[in-house]
Structure formats: structure tokens, C-alpha cells
């Protein structure tokens, strides 16, 4: 295959790809002028009265100190911040459906799935960044347009919209899963709020107050701090799952029945959930572009560490959640009684914060993929158009989230369709058509691994999607 010439544009910045949101983000976090921090604050008394501005200056100085410490601990473009951003995209609402996925496929097959998907996710991200480094292309849409077909970017944009839209719907469903056990725990809960209509009304109110405002801003900066806090919340939740399992399900006599291996259509239903839980390829190129210094080897090492930790976290949560309750359907949040156990309630608050923050971030990504299909630049289009699109998408998220019976149905379909295509098939096609890809040029190991990723994507797309649809129709 011949090398594909790519016009990257003379005005494009190498560090940010010319995207205004990254420019603004870098200006805010990297280009801070700490000169004022060295200046003495105005304080003390003057003419018998204290300077009214002294407290403000001290407060401003404290904020600058905190921001500087955060920048040192989690520097922009560093290995830690890049790992947090990838891990935050991977570990989220999907982890809540893993105990049910373990129940669907069995413990042994779940272990095999997680090991294979973790390895193939790392390699597919390696392929995407390799293509970007070789061609100068900075996004899925650019790669599809220049390497596959002039109109292929439309198909890719639709797949990205489906993936991010499915994620936002899953977040809305998860808020309902958080509310149901809390309402059921109160004896004084009104009868109306125990019914489906009442729960949906309260669910919509929580969405309106806590989630809807996050779709209004065009840009959401300081993503690495949100990512770090979100990962810590999910880590705490995983610890709570393990401790609860050891003290309850694993100590019960008899223990909940579990399966080592499952067969039939049920064994395929969990495949999409596992893939959805690892779908971080969608923004790995952007993460790589922000790394300082940037190299393919450094990014691959960061991806290996980040995805291995995510894989272990997912495995622990799925396994111990399954051993705790046995038969699980949908989100594991429905199985706990948060009011009787304070640690569970704290973990619910953490998951709630993580879900709300992720809703805003993923909604922003969904608009970035959808608006260009209508000829709108999401960062420069007039605000009233932006607002109409953002509000309509958010309301549609709510309507679907209120009536989807099972969050794993969203995970399975989104993971099967988008995970198989965007996560595995497209990265392989991009590297194959980027030029010079032959057995002799890449070696037998890379050649074999690339085809294994392609095979995994086809299996996920065909069988994972079909099993999810079959399960939905069966209900």
C-alpha cells in the first residue's frame, strides 16, 4: 500500500491540533503567570482601619498556591494526568454493570474476556496514535476521510454520536438506580414515590437540578482534576464492593449460586458490557497530543499502565459483586441498602458526583461529533443554535433514560455496535490504509496482533449486538 499524502494545514498547532478548547485549556493550566504570587500582599492597618482588600488578596494567593500544587502533582500532559484521563473515560458507569455481566457469561469466561479486551484495547490505542504520528491526522473523522473514503467521516461521526449518546443515556439510567434503593429503605417514603411514576418524577427532578446545567457550557476545562477525583470515587466504590462481599455474600451459608461458564445467547449478552467498560479509544489521540514530551512509546507505556489498572479494578468489582449476590441483573447499585450501611451511602454519593461530571463531559463530546454533521462548529456556532442542540440532546437523554428498563441493555448495545466498530475495527483499517503496511514492514507479531484486534471487533459487532437485541426482544 502506498503512503497517503495528508494536508494538515499550516496553521495547525502541533500540541493541540488547533482545537480552541485545548488552546484555552492550555492557556489556563500551563501558561499561568505566577509572578503576582511573589508580590507581597497588602495587609495590616492603615489609619486605624484594616485594608478591606487584604483578605481578598490572601484568598487569591491561597488559590494560586493550590492550583500550583495541583499542577505539580498532576501536570498538564504528564504521565499521571494522561493516565487519569484515559482511566476516567474507561472506568465509569460501565463498571456498575460488570457483576451482571459476570452472571451472564460465568467467572471463567469473564476472566478471559477482560484479559483479551484489556490487551486489545491497549493495542488498538497504540495503532491509532501510530497512525496519527505517521500521517498528522488528529481525529477519527480526519483519519476516515483521508484514509478510507471522502465521506467515511460521516459514518464515523454517527458511530461516535451513538457511542457518546448511549453513554449519556446510561448515566441518566444510573441516577435512577441510585435513587430506587434509597427510597425503598425509608419506611416513611410516600407511596407515590414507591411507584414507577413517582420514581420517574423524582428522577427527572434530579436530572434537571444536577445534570442538565452541565450541558450548557461550550467548554469544560480542568478535565484532569475531575478525572482524578472521579477515579478516586470509583476506587472507593470498588473497595466497598469487596468488603461488603467478604462480610455478607461470601460469608453466607449457603453462599449465592454462581456460574463458572455459561452457554447460549446469555453467554454473549455480557460481551458488549465488557467492551463498553473499556471504550477509551474515542479520545486517546487527543490524550496523546497533549502529552509532554510526546512519543508513541511513552503513550503506549502510559496506556498499558492505565488500562491494566482499569482491568484489575473492573475484574475486582465484577467478581466480588457477583460473589456477593449471585444472580444480578442490571446495575449492582440496586442490590444494596445504603441507609443501613454508611460506607455504602458514601460510595453512592461518590458515584453520583462521578456520574454527573461524566454526563457533562460525554455530552460535550457528543455535541462535538454531532454538530459538524449539520455544518455547525460546536465552539463557534452562535450560542442560540448551540443551546437548542444541547437542550434537545439532553431532553432526549432524559426521555430514554427514564424508560430503559435495564442499564446493561444500553451498555450491551453501545459496546457491541460502537465498541466493535470504533474501538477495534476502525483502528485496524486506519493503520492498514495509512501506507506501507505489510508483513515484512511490521513484523509477524504486529501483523498477527492487528488481525486479532480486527477479529475481535467483528465478533463484538456481530454477536454482541445480536445477543443484546435478542435479549431486549425476549423481555
Amino acid at each position: 500500500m502506498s503512503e497517503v499524502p495528508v494536508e494538515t494545514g499550516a496553521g495547525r498547532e502541533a500540541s493541540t491540533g488547533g482545537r480552541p478548547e485545548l488552546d484555552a485549556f492550555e492557556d489556563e493550566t500551563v501558561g499561568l503567570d505566577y509572578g503576582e504570587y511573589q508580590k507581597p500582599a497588602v495587609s495590616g492597618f492603615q489609619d486605624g482601619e484594616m485594608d478591606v482588600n487584604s483578605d481578598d488578596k490572601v484568598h487569591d494567593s491561597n488559590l494560586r498556591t493550590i492550583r500550583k500544587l495541583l499542577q505539580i502533582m498532576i501536570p498538564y500532559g504528564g504521565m499521571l494526568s494522561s493516565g487519569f484521563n484515559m482511566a476516567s473515560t474507561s472506568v465509569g458507569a460501565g463498571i456498575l454493570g460488570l457483576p451482571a455481566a459476570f452472571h451472564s457469561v460465568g467467572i471463567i469466561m469473564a476472566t478471559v474476556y477482560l484479559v483479551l479486551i484489556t490487551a486489545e484495547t491497549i493495542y488498538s490505542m497504540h495503532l491509532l496514535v501510530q497512525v496519527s504520528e505517521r500521517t498528522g491526522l488528529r481525529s477519527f473523522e480526519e483519519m476516515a476521510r483521508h484514509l478510507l473514503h471522502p465521506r467515511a467521516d460521516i459514518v464515523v461521526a454517527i458511530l461516535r454520536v451513538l457511542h457518546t449518546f448511549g453513554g449519556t443515556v446510561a448515566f441518566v439510567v444510573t441516577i435512577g438506580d441510585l435513587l430506587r434503593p434509597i427510597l425503598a429503605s425509608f419506611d416513611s417514603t410516600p407511596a407515590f414515590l414507591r411507584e414507577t411514576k413517582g420514581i420517574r418524577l423524582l428522577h427527572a427532578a434530579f436530572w434537571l437540578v444536577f445534570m442538565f446545567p452541565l450541558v450548557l457550557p461550550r467548554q469544560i476545562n480542568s478535565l484532569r482534576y475531575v478525572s482524578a477525583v472521579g477515579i478516586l470515587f470509583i476506587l472507593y466504590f470498588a473497595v466497598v464492593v469487596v468488603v461488603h462481599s467478604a462480610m455478607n455474600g461470601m460469608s453466607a451459608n449457603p453462599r449465592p449460586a454462581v456460574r463458572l461458564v455459561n452457554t447460549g445467547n446469555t453467554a454473549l449478552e455480557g460481551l458488549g458490557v465488557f467492551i463498553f467498560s473499556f471504550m477509551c479509544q474515542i479520545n486517546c489521540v487527543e490524550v496523546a497530543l497533549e502529552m509532554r514530551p510526546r512519543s508513541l512509546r511513552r503513550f503506549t507505556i502510559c496506556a498499558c499502565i492505565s488500562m491494566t489498572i482499569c482491568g484489575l479494578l473492573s475484574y475486582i468489582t465484577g467478581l466480588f459483586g457477583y460473589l456477593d449476590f449471585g444472580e444480578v441483573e442490571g446495575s449492582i447499585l440496586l442490590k444494596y441498602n445504603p441507609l443501613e450501611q454508611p460506607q455504602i451511602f458514601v460510595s453512592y454519593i461518590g458515584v453520583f458526583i462521578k456520574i454527573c461530571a461524566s454526563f457533562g463531559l460525554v455530552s460535550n463530546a457528543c455535541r462535538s461529533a454531532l454538530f459538524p454533521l449539520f455544518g455547525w462548529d460546536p465552539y463557534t456556532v452562535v450560542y442560540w443554535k448551540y443551546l437548542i442542540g444541547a437542550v434537545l440532546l439532553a431532553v432526549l437523554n432524559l426521555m430514554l433514560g427514564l424508560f430503559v428498563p435495564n442499564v446493561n441493555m444500553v451498555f450491551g448495545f453501545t459496546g457491541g455496535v460502537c465498541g466493535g466498530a470504533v474501538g477495534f475495527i476502525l483502528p485496524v483499517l486506519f493503520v492498514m490504509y495509512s501506507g506501507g503496511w505489510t508483513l515484512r514492514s511490521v513484523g509477524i507479531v504486529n501483523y498477527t496482533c492487528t488481525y486479532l484486534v480486527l477479529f475481535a471487533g467483528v465478533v463484538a459487532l456481530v454477536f454482541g449486538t445480536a445477543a443484546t437485541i435478542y435479549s431486549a426482544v425476549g423481555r
Side-chain angles (χ1 to χ4, degrees), residues 302-317:
C302 182
C304 286
I305 296 173
S306 179
M307 290 301 101
T308 300
I309 294 174
C310 290
L312 290 173
L313 189 61
S314 299
Y315 184 76
I316 290 171
T317 305

Side-chain angles (χ1 to χ4, degrees), residues 106-322:
I107 294 176
I108 294 178
M109 285 307 301
T111 304
V112 173
Y113 279 161
L114 279 173
V115 171
L116 290 177
I117 291 172
T118 301
E120 289 171 348
T121 299
I122 294 170
Y123 193 74
S124 65
M125 290 195 293
H126 169 84
L127 294 179
L128 282 170
V129 177
Q130 184 182 57
V131 172
S132 179
E133 290 290 309
R134 179 187 299 175
T135 64
L137 301 171
R138 307 301 178 91
S139 68
F140 270 86
E141 288 81 4
E142 285 187 4
M143 292 178 187
R145 183 168 59 252
H146 288 283
L147 302 178
L148 301 182
H149 189 274
R151 295 297 181 91
D153 59 321
I154 298 176
V155 177
V156 173
I158 293 173
L159 287 172
R160 289 188 65 187
V161 169
L162 287 175
H163 169 249
T164 52
F165 186 79
T168 52
V169 171
F171 297 144
V172 176
V173 176
T174 303
I175 295 298
D177 292 341
L178 285 167
L179 292 174
R180 286 185 180 87
I182 295 177
L183 293 174
S185 301
F186 281 107
D187 294 333
S188 58
T189 300
F192 176 70
L193 292 180
R194 294 179 183 271
E195 299 175 356
T196 302
K197 292 182 180 179
I199 293 176
R200 285 175 178 169
L201 180 62
L202 187 61
H203 189 173
F206 267 76
W207 171 88
L208 182 63
V209 174
F210 296 104
M211 302 180 80
F212 177 71
L214 299 178
V215 308
L216 301 180
R218 288 181 189 261
Q219 302 174 11
I220 302 177
N221 292 321
S222 301
L223 301 185
R224 64 187 188 275
Y225 304 136
V226 177
S227 300
V229 173
I231 289 298
L232 292 177
F233 279 136
I234 296 297
L235 179 61
Y236 174 77
F237 177 75
V239 173
V240 169
V241 170
V242 173
V243 173
H244 189 277
S245 177
M247 297 177 63
N248 294 274
M250 296 177 65
S251 302
N253 189 14
R255 294 181 180 178
V258 297
R259 304 165 178 169
L260 294 180
V261 179
N262 204 2
T263 58
N265 182 73
T266 307
L268 294 173
E269 289 180 20
L271 179 59
V273 181
F274 288 113
I275 295 175
F276 181 89
S277 300
F278 279 84
M279 269 297 293
C280 57
Q281 294 95 328
I282 206 76
N283 70 342
C284 69
V285 174
E286 287 83 352
V287 172
L289 290 172
E290 294 180 23
M291 293 190 75
R292 304 288 186 274
R294 185 171 77 242
S295 71
L296 179 60
R297 180 177 179 275
R298 192 165 181 262
F299 171 82
T300 304
I301 293 174
C302 182
C304 286
I305 296 173
S306 179
M307 290 301 101
T308 300
I309 294 174
C310 290
L312 290 173
L313 189 61
S314 299
Y315 184 76
I316 290 171
T317 305
L319 176 63
F320 283 94
Y322 182 39

Side-chain angles (χ1 to χ4, degrees), residues 28 32 34 63-71 225:
E28 178 183 339
L32 292 174
Y34 292 101
L63 287 178
R64 285 180 173 273
T65 302
I66 293 173
R67 293 182 70 177
K68 192 171 183 179
L69 288 174
L70 286 174
Q71 187 176 346
Y225 304 136

